[in-house]
Amino acid sequence: MQLLNSALTRLSENYLGGISVDRVVTVVGVLLSYVLAHAFQRIPARMAAAKHIFSIISTVFLFGPVQEQYTGLIHMAVGSAAIYGLIRWIRSAYMPYAVFLVAMLHMSYSHIQRQIHERSTGAVEMDYTGAQMVFVIKVTSLAFCVYDGRPNVVHPRMSAYQRKNAISRVPGLLEYLGYVFFFAGFSVGPAFELATYRKMVALDDTRVQRQLPRRAYRKLLEGAFWMVIYVAYSNVYTYQAMTKPQFYAHRSLLSSALYMCTTGLVVRSAYYTAWKMGEGACILAGLGFDGYDAHGAVQWMDIANVHVRGVELGSSLRQLIDSWNVGTNTWLRHHVYLRISRTPADGARTSSTRATVLTFLVSAWWHGFYPGYYLTFVLAALSANAARILRRNLHAIVALPADNHVSALRRALKLMYDVAGWILSKYTLDFAAAPFMVLSLQPSMQLWRDNYFVVPLAVLGIFIAFNGLGAGRFIRSIVGLPQSVPGIKTGKRLKK
């Protein structure tokens, strides 16, 4: 649609601060999916095939003529056909792993092609690889769910999540394509399981359907708020500016830290915009309906890809990480980490370190091959480990007893601990995320160097102090805590 692109280009140049047109087109596609979601819900539940067809056609329209990602459509059409064949025809326990390998290798080709194009043009653009990343989560999750549902296979120690989403038989081709090419979450997510898609298609309760617009448009407004933040400040606060030596000519380390944290918020606002708007479109179509409880009340599952409050206000790095890209974290936990850490033969647990490292490598592979991604993931993993060490050794000192009979000084210490945790976690997150946005190795290392490698050196210091020099034992002896179980058993039940 050349006319649409011309209009959006003028809109971006005149009113949106020159934001790249591909981002504007993506938002327009998400907004159009709200209109399509209203129509989708009006198709009766008994006409499931019509819903599948409507979803496929809508995706072809949004991703093809609107976003002009025809190459991506071809890639995912071919990929979906190949993967469906693997799911249907491979009967052994290797089926989900074959699907995983084929899907990841196909996406790797797309990532490499994108990097070659961006290196030749010098411009970072949005293309179909974002949608393909969601596609990979869906098809690999489906393969594992089909495997989990086979009656002749023993699955020791399956998680409740895996049992809930197990599929007893391979879905028909039309249902499979309707799920994979579901229009509302195709470009930006969220990703979800086939069992969740089936509940949406089968939704036929007017009481529930009346609740959908209010829930959906609340997410749309939330996304619009973050879009305003991004449009207003994305040209003012950038990580790229921090890669230039002149940026630090008249700035202190504190000033640079404040700029970095503000930049992190502005960068995240672009993700909040896409993910919250996409979440609202999915809700409007009925996604997230989870049946009824014992009293007949409607139940909703959490399909959010990000919990903004957890990311922005979390007092620990673990909370920040768990609240970000939730769909990917769920996929990595239930379809990667738990599959690695539990052997299929007897359910015995393998090394958690081995499982963690392999899961980290899968996450990095899934994102692509820019060096900045790997700098971010390595530092984030080490920082999370360091944060756990600090919490294990310091939290019991300030934690409040369950009876709340504590002095004002103890409460003040707990508040200071939480505030310090929030500040340090935010700075660590934004410092680690810088290479993810800069992408290239040399500028990323330059940015870290100009900020004195504060976070890597702090992480190293924590490892040396607590793992090498016994700082934890010294602290516990000073405050009178037991040495046997670091920082946890104090004789009283502690609040988290």
Side-chain angles (χ1 to χ4, degrees):
M1 287 188 174
Q2 188 62 39
L3 183 61
L4 175 62
N5 279 336
S6 298
L8 293 179
T9 300
R10 290 194 296 272
L11 176 66
S12 174
E13 293 175 348
N14 297 328
Y15 302 102
L16 300 179
I19 292 176
S20 60
V21 178
D22 53 341
R23 291 182 180 272
V24 180
V25 171
T26 300
V27 171
V28 169
V30 173
L31 293 176
L32 287 174
S33 67
Y34 278 76
V35 179
L36 295 170
H38 278 290
F40 181 85
Q41 262 305 309
R42 282 169 171 73
I43 301 175
R46 66 179 182 276
M47 300 173 63
K51 287 196 168 188
H52 302 323
I53 294 171
F54 180 90
S55 181
I56 297 168
I57 293 175
S58 297
T59 292
V60 170
F61 167 71
L62 293 174
F63 210 62
V66 175
Q67 295 185 241
E68 296 187 338
Q69 297 291 350
Y70 297 104
T71 301
L73 275 178
I74 294 172
H75 270 283
M76 280 175 276
V78 173
S80 62
I83 287 168
Y84 186 74
L86 293 175
I87 294 175
R88 178 164 286 279
W89 300 114
I90 297 180
R91 299 293 182 181
S92 72
Y94 295 106
M95 180 274 290
Y97 301 99
V99 168
F100 194 95
L101 183 62
V102 169
M104 291 292 285
L105 288 175
H106 184 192
M107 185 175 64
S108 297
Y109 170 81
S110 299
H111 279 314
I112 292 171
Q113 288 294 109
R114 176 190 177 187
Q115 288 183 223
I116 292 173
H117 173 73
E118 290 176 349
R119 181 171 297 179
S120 63
T121 60
V124 177
E125 301 174 352
M126 293 185 67
D127 66 351
Y128 66 88
T129 54
Q132 192 172 12
M133 292 165 76
V134 178
F135 170 87
V136 166
I137 292 179
K138 282 185 173 183
V139 295
T140 55
S141 299
L142 175 62
F144 279 113
C145 289
V146 169
Y147 174 72
D148 289 341
R150 289 181 177 175
N152 59 332
V153 180
V154 177
H155 305 288
R157 301 178 66 178
M158 283 175 58
S159 68
Y161 179 93
Q162 291 166 347
R163 288 193 297 271
K164 177 181 178 181
N165 291 288
I167 304 297
S168 60
R169 58 193 303 179
V170 178
L173 179 60
L174 185 60
E175 182 185 32
Y176 166 78
L177 293 176
Y179 162 66
V180 170
F181 289 92
F182 176 62
F183 65 95
F186 186 76
S187 294
V188 298
F192 47 87
E193 306 284 3
L194 177 64
T196 305
Y197 176 78
R198 284 177 167 174
K199 289 180 180 179
M200 175 189 66
V201 171
L203 178 58
D204 191 23
D205 186 333
T206 55
R207 178 183 51 152
V208 176
Q209 291 170 334
R210 282 195 296 267
Q211 298 180 26
L212 298 178
R214 176 178 56 84
R215 294 171 55 85
Y217 284 106
R218 186 187 305 160
K219 302 298 181 183
L220 177 62
L221 290 175
E222 187 176 351
F225 168 79
W226 290 111
M227 182 173 66
V228 171
I229 298 295
Y230 184 75
V231 170
Y233 297 106
S234 59
N235 290 329
V236 179
Y237 297 95
T238 66
Y239 279 117
Q240 284 70 23
M242 299 187 71
T243 63
K244 298 176 172 56
Q246 58 267 29
F247 174 85
Y248 302 93
H250 304 289
R251 289 181 185 270
S252 64
L253 180 61
L254 178 59
S255 175
S256 297
L258 291 174
Y259 182 94
M260 181 181 288
C261 291
T262 306
T263 300
L265 175 62
V266 173
V267 168
R268 288 191 297 276
S269 67
Y271 291 89
Y272 295 158
T273 298
W275 284 342
K276 285 302 175 182
M277 287 184 173
E279 180 188 349
C282 288
I283 291 173
L284 190 59
L287 197 69
F289 171 68
D290 199 23
Y292 310 89
D293 63 16
H295 304 287
V298 178
Q299 291 184 306
W300 300 95
M301 66 181 69
D302 182 11
I303 63 169
N305 210 28
V306 63
H307 298 132
V308 177
R309 181 174 296 181
V311 175
E312 301 302 335
L313 300 178
S315 60
S316 70
L317 190 60
R318 181 78 265 165
Q319 185 179 358
L320 269 62
I321 293 174
D322 288 344
S323 300
W324 177 263
N325 210 350
V326 177
T328 303
N329 287 337
T330 300
W331 172 64
L332 289 171
R333 172 170 175 76
H334 293 286
H335 298 305
V336 179
Y337 178 82
L338 291 181
R339 310 284 175 176
I340 296 170
S341 62
R342 297 168 184 175
T343 60
D346 56 8
R349 295 189 67 87
T350 58
S351 166
S352 61
T353 300
R354 174 176 173 269
T356 300
V357 170
L358 290 175
T359 303
F360 157 75
L361 291 176
V362 169
S363 178
W365 182 14
W366 180 76
H367 279 89
F369 302 102
Y370 279 109
Y373 294 162
Y374 294 82
L375 290 177
T376 291
F377 292 134
V378 169
L379 182 56
L382 294 175
S383 299
N385 193 21
R388 281 196 296 271
I389 293 173
L390 288 178
R391 179 177 177 82
R392 188 167 61 242
N393 288 280
L394 301 179
H395 182 260
I397 300 174
V398 299
L400 302 179
D403 55 18
N404 281 329
H405 293 159
V406 293
S407 65
L409 177 60
R410 186 74 177 271
R411 292 185 181 277
L413 286 175
K414 179 62 167 66
L415 177 62
M416 292 170 61
Y417 174 87
D418 290 338
V419 172
W422 174 70
I423 293 173
L424 294 175
S425 297
K426 290 292 294 177
Y427 180 69
T428 300
L429 174 68
D430 294 322
F431 190 101
F436 192 93
M437 303 308 300
V438 175
L439 299 178
S440 300
L441 179 62
Q442 193 279 329
S444 297
M445 295 304 295
Q446 181 67 44
L447 188 155
W448 279 2
R449 183 164 52 248
D450 289 336
N451 286 274
Y452 304 101
F453 292 104
V454 171
V455 173
L457 290 177
V459 169
L460 179 62
I462 291 170
F463 288 153
I464 293 174
F466 287 89
N467 293 344
L469 303 179
R473 291 190 299 273
F474 175 75
I475 292 173
R476 290 192 295 277
S477 66
I478 292 294
V479 299
L481 291 174
Q483 296 289 330
S484 56
V485 184
I488 299 298
K489 293 185 178 179
T490 63
K492 293 184 179 181
R493 180 170 167 259
L494 301 178
K495 282 187 174 181
K496 290 184 179 181

